[in-house]
Amino acid sequence: MRDPFVFDSRSEFCKKPYGAVPCGSDVVFHVRPLTRDGYSRCVLVARREFSGEEIQMELLPEAVDGERTRFTGVLTAPSEPELLWYHFRLIRSDGSTALLDQSGWQETGEIQSWQLTVYEKTATPLWFGGGVVYQIFPDRFCRLSLPDPTGLVGNRWVHENWNDQPVWAPDPDGEVRNRDFFGGSLNGITAKLDDLAALGVTVLYLNPIFESASNHRYNTADYLHIDPMLGTEEDFRRLCREAKERGIRMILDGVFNHTGSQSRYFNADGFYPGVGAAQSTDSPYFNWFSFHPWPTDYDAWWGIMTLPAVQENEPDYRDFIIRGQDSVVRHWLRAGASGWRLDVADELPDDFIAEIRTAMEETAPDSFLLGEVWEDATTKVAYSQRRRYLLGHELHGVMNYPFRTALIAYLRGGNADDFRETLEALRENYPPEAFLSMMNFLGTHDTPRILTVLGADNVPDSKADRAAYRLSPTQRQIGLERLRLAALILFTFPGAPTVYYGDEAAMEGWEDPFNRAGYPWEQEDTDLKAHFAELARFRRSFPALQAGVLHWIWTSGPLLIFARELDGQLLTTVVNAADVSQALSLPWPAPPARDLLTGQCFTPVDNAIPLTLPPRSGLLLQTDLP
């Protein structure tokens, strides 16, 4: 049975410092079994993930705390990045033993070890985690004129009506080819920079912008050329310049695990004048791909033959993407980008990611490297290997899918304590810099629209039904109320709040392509958009919301309350996700507070603030500590 009074890895009474530690740090452990249980010795047993070495360290009996004996020891963390998996063996004077792990006292069965992340402390740019990110699917954001796709790679066509629904039904061959375009462009984004600045955006993350046969552009055809329907390299440079004048940086999507079958490198249909790997074994790109046998059978991402997988360990490919003086990574940083997001980071070797990081630091020292990782990035196993994403020389931060999943579950009737547990597990495992650099979001191009998820009663079974689906007025109202709460949590939680284009305008839609419609210019929900802008302003105005320490205040049932504290500044987020009012007495050993959302003031009585929270409502309490 678990007894947190014996050992709790998240309590500084038991382990200090909290969470992950830099290489070579001293970590103090206290284990406090009941004295009556007769333990005379306590041994910390730890296994090093990467070296396989086992460490055993004796904790010495230091004192008796009431009815408990306290064993204490200091472990010096390894001098190189590592994951330590540890538990305790307690021994009585008669030689009998007991094991203590995360599940409690363990008699038999598999040991459930605690995790200690040991990382190399390196510089992390602060502008990402401290900012506000806005994700744009370039074809669907803003069109200034109707483009002509004639002569471009892929059999493309353009919707004349910006408000059309994206094509979702298979063609006569049973394929969904994503060849319908709407004509959003880089110059369209540039034209809306003032709107984005007014929304509080400081970082733009663009889905792929390089030449490609498909509207999503994840099947890259040419890494060194902007897709002509989006514009030119000079258009990109201008976008970056004018964005930086408004305090906005640019992050590009790097799709380096696979190319498109119609790319100039593979050239399956012979569109490009050069010789691609699918055309000749003498192609300069032949070794980039793995054929078995050539030319019709080859490795492809998830078996999708239009996405031939690249061999990242091929020296020529590494030179092209990373090492060369005008490599893809370096070229676009010099053109004005401030960072890269690595698509399907799980498919990229650790040393490939590390080389990208090195090239970025050499080219643009303040650039940021983000990875697409869907789980805890410190415990991720891909291709039977534990990944080293956040241990010091690879990613600065990752996309925080666990945040979205846990937040939706909570807002749709779950327990706030489950949300706390999910995020606290990440906080314990991630280096502090990485935790503050998480990309937190409510939705992306790979997920259904957040308003639909929060408002719908269930998911329609067929794709045709999902295509036709719209929230009822009642569902939409409930969804909007929940979305306002989701945004409140998003903008006040550690990490970079990220808005998928149109979520702030109340766009609806299930999965791809229904989540990728054109932005509803002049049809936005202006109240919701103003709410997002106000939250972004608070985040910019209060450093505690950018880098403050996280305190969990109350997490039970529908009530979620947490605070951020920095340099005497305290911001407390209070959320009631229930469909009914909730009354509580909020512990408040601090000066009077003001709700930033309404201006209402609260004076504590006997170190508590009595609150009655209406259904689906929230507060953002601000006070300065003495």
Side-chain angles (χ1 to χ4, degrees):
M1 181 177 179
R2 187 173 180 177
D3 183 352
F5 294 103
V6 179
F7 182 79
D8 180 355
S9 64
R10 298 173 184 169
S11 168
E12 291 196 345
F13 290 107
C14 299
K15 172 184 168 290
K16 190 173 183 179
Y18 172 92
V21 298
C23 295
S25 298
D26 285 342
V27 185
V28 180
F29 290 93
H30 298 294
V31 179
R32 301 168 62 250
L34 291 167
T35 303
R36 67 169 182 263
D37 289 339
Y39 296 111
S40 58
R41 296 178 58 207
C42 179
V43 178
L44 180 147
V45 182
R47 177 181 61 85
R48 294 178 59 166
E49 171 79 25
F50 301 115
S51 73
E53 176 188 357
E54 182 175 281
I55 300 170
Q56 295 197 24
M57 184 186 75
E58 187 96 13
L59 275 63
L60 301 178
E62 183 184 58
V64 174
D65 291 341
E67 60 183 2
R68 296 178 179 273
T69 300
R70 184 173 69 213
F71 293 89
T72 299
V74 179
L75 174 71
T76 300
S79 58
E80 62 277 340
E82 187 62 272
L83 293 182
L84 290 182
W85 303 98
Y86 66 94
H87 65 278
F88 302 96
R89 185 170 67 245
L90 289 98
I91 307 164
R92 298 183 181 90
S93 55
D94 64 4
S96 60
T97 64
L99 298 181
L100 180 68
D101 67 7
Q102 280 206 78
S103 65
W105 295 106
Q106 182 70 267
E107 296 292 336
T108 58
E110 185 177 350
I111 294 174
Q112 299 180 37
S113 300
W114 285 281
Q115 174 184 336
L116 176 61
T117 303
V118 180
Y119 66 99
E120 185 166 345
K121 197 173 179 65
T122 56
T124 297
L126 301 179
W127 55 263
F128 183 83
V132 174
V133 184
Y134 192 85
Q135 179 187 350
I136 291 178
F137 194 85
D139 183 58
R140 310 291 161 83
F141 185 64
C142 180
R143 177 172 77 189
L144 299 182
S145 61
L146 198 66
D148 180 4
T150 304
L152 302 182
V153 64
N155 185 23
R156 313 185 195 190
W157 62 277
V158 181
H159 293 262
E160 290 190 12
N161 185 349
W162 180 256
N163 296 317
D164 280 353
Q165 183 177 64
V167 172
W168 60 270
D171 65 15
D173 296 325
E175 298 286 342
V176 178
R177 301 186 188 276
N178 298 296
R179 300 302 164 84
D180 64 313
F181 287 74
F182 283 74
S185 66
L186 297 181
N187 286 338
I189 299 172
T190 302
K192 297 297 184 180
L193 284 175
D194 286 340
D195 295 74
L196 293 167
L199 190 63
V201 173
T202 62
V203 182
L204 285 180
Y205 155 45
L206 304 184
N207 288 114
I209 62 173
F210 305 120
E211 188 169 340
S212 171
S214 298
N215 55 45
H216 53 68
R217 298 187 173 93
Y218 279 96
N219 52 340
T220 311
D222 189 333
Y223 288 103
L224 291 175
H225 288 90
I226 303 293
D227 192 281
M229 288 181 66
L230 289 177
T232 64
E233 180 168 332
E234 180 50 43
D235 292 332
F236 175 74
R237 290 175 178 268
R238 174 173 166 255
L239 170 59
C240 292
R241 285 196 305 270
E242 296 198 16
K244 285 181 179 177
E245 290 172 1
R246 294 163 173 82
I248 300 174
R249 295 175 181 255
M250 205 72 56
I251 286 184
L252 295 180
D253 215 330
V255 188
F256 301 142
N257 165 257
H258 52 268
T259 70
S261 59
Q262 294 178 289
S263 68
R264 67 169 60 250
Y265 320 108
F266 202 80
N267 211 15
D269 60 358
F271 174 83
Y272 288 96
V275 179
Q279 297 168 298
S280 172
T281 56
D282 292 329
S283 167
Y285 309 115
F286 177 75
N287 289 335
W288 289 15
F289 305 94
S290 179
F291 292 94
H292 39 82
W294 180 86
T296 57
D297 193 8
Y298 47 87
D299 289 345
W301 183 71
W302 282 28
I304 302 172
M305 303 310 284
T306 56
L307 300 176
V310 174
Q311 298 195 89
E312 295 93 350
N313 290 325
E314 171 60 34
D316 285 348
Y317 182 68
R318 288 215 182 185
D319 288 344
F320 175 70
I321 296 293
I322 309 171
R323 295 170 178 166
Q325 285 306 302
D326 195 37
S327 67
V328 173
V329 168
R330 298 177 193 270
H331 180 92
W332 295 109
L333 289 175
R334 293 192 185 106
S338 293
W340 286 94
R341 177 259 190 189
L342 298 182
D343 183 57
V344 292
D346 296 343
E347 310 281 340
L348 302 173
D350 278 298
D351 65 329
F352 187 87
I353 297 175
E355 281 202 42
I356 290 176
R357 168 87 173 257
T358 298
M360 290 173 64
E361 290 174 343
E362 291 172 352
T363 308
D366 197 32
S367 55
F368 189 89
L369 185 58
L370 175 75
E372 180 193 14
V373 181
W374 287 59
E375 305 87 2
D376 181 331
T378 63
T379 57
K380 174 70 181 183
V381 175
Y383 298 96
S384 302
Q385 290 190 341
R386 186 83 68 180
R387 305 308 300 266
R388 302 171 183 251
Y389 298 128
L390 299 180
L391 298 186
H393 291 285
E394 295 187 28
L395 304 173
H396 291 110
V398 295
M399 300 179 72
N400 194 0
Y401 280 92
F403 173 88
R404 176 185 183 271
T405 301
L407 182 56
I408 289 172
Y410 159 62
L411 291 172
R412 287 187 56 87
N415 193 321
D417 202 53
D418 294 334
F419 176 81
R420 180 199 62 79
E421 176 57 33
T422 297
L423 276 301
E424 189 65 8
L426 296 184
R427 187 165 78 109
E428 183 176 15
N429 291 346
Y430 283 20
E433 300 85 353
F435 188 73
L436 287 172
S437 298
M438 299 182 298
M439 176 192 261
N440 299 334
F441 53 85
L442 307 178
T444 74
H445 62 292
D446 285 328
T447 66
R449 285 282 176 182
I450 185 63
L451 178 57
T452 298
V453 172
L454 293 179
D457 297 325
N458 50 60
V459 182
D461 292 332
S462 73
K463 194 152 190 173
D465 287 340
R466 295 195 294 278
Y469 187 89
R470 297 294 182 274
L471 296 172
S472 71
T474 299
Q475 290 173 326
R476 187 173 172 89
Q477 182 59 35
I478 292 173
L480 285 169
E481 291 174 5
R482 288 173 173 165
L483 179 49
R484 292 174 71 91
L485 296 183
L488 172 60
I489 296 168
L490 174 72
F491 277 85
T492 57
F493 201 79
T498 302
V499 180
Y500 181 48
Y501 84 101
D503 279 350
E504 81 285 8
M507 288 180 69
E508 297 183 28
W510 290 109
E511 79 281 10
D512 163 28
F514 313 123
N515 59 353
R516 301 178 181 181
Y519 184 93
W521 295 109
E522 309 303 328
Q523 302 172 51
E524 302 103 314
D525 183 317
T526 55
D527 288 341
L528 182 64
K529 191 172 181 179
H531 179 62
F532 273 76
E534 182 178 47
L535 292 172
R537 179 171 58 82
F538 294 151
R539 186 174 176 87
R540 183 172 62 251
S541 301
F542 296 100
L545 293 180
Q546 301 171 33
V549 174
L550 173 66
H551 301 293
W552 298 103
I553 309 299
W554 196 310
T555 57
S556 179
L559 294 177
L560 172 65
I561 306 175
F562 61 87
R564 305 286 302 282
E565 180 185 353
L566 182 69
D567 297 334
Q569 194 177 80
L570 184 70
L571 279 295
T572 303
T573 302
V574 181
V575 173
N576 171 28
D579 297 334
V580 296
S581 296
Q582 299 286 320
L584 73 150
S585 180
L586 177 63
W588 198 264
R594 180 172 67 95
D595 177 25
L596 294 175
L597 300 175
T598 64
Q600 184 178 1
C601 293
F602 299 89
T603 301
V605 179
D606 296 330
N607 290 326
I609 294 176
L611 294 175
T612 299
L613 300 171
R616 295 187 292 273
S617 67
L619 307 170
L620 181 55
L621 303 179
Q622 183 265 329
T623 191
D624 293 323
L625 299 176

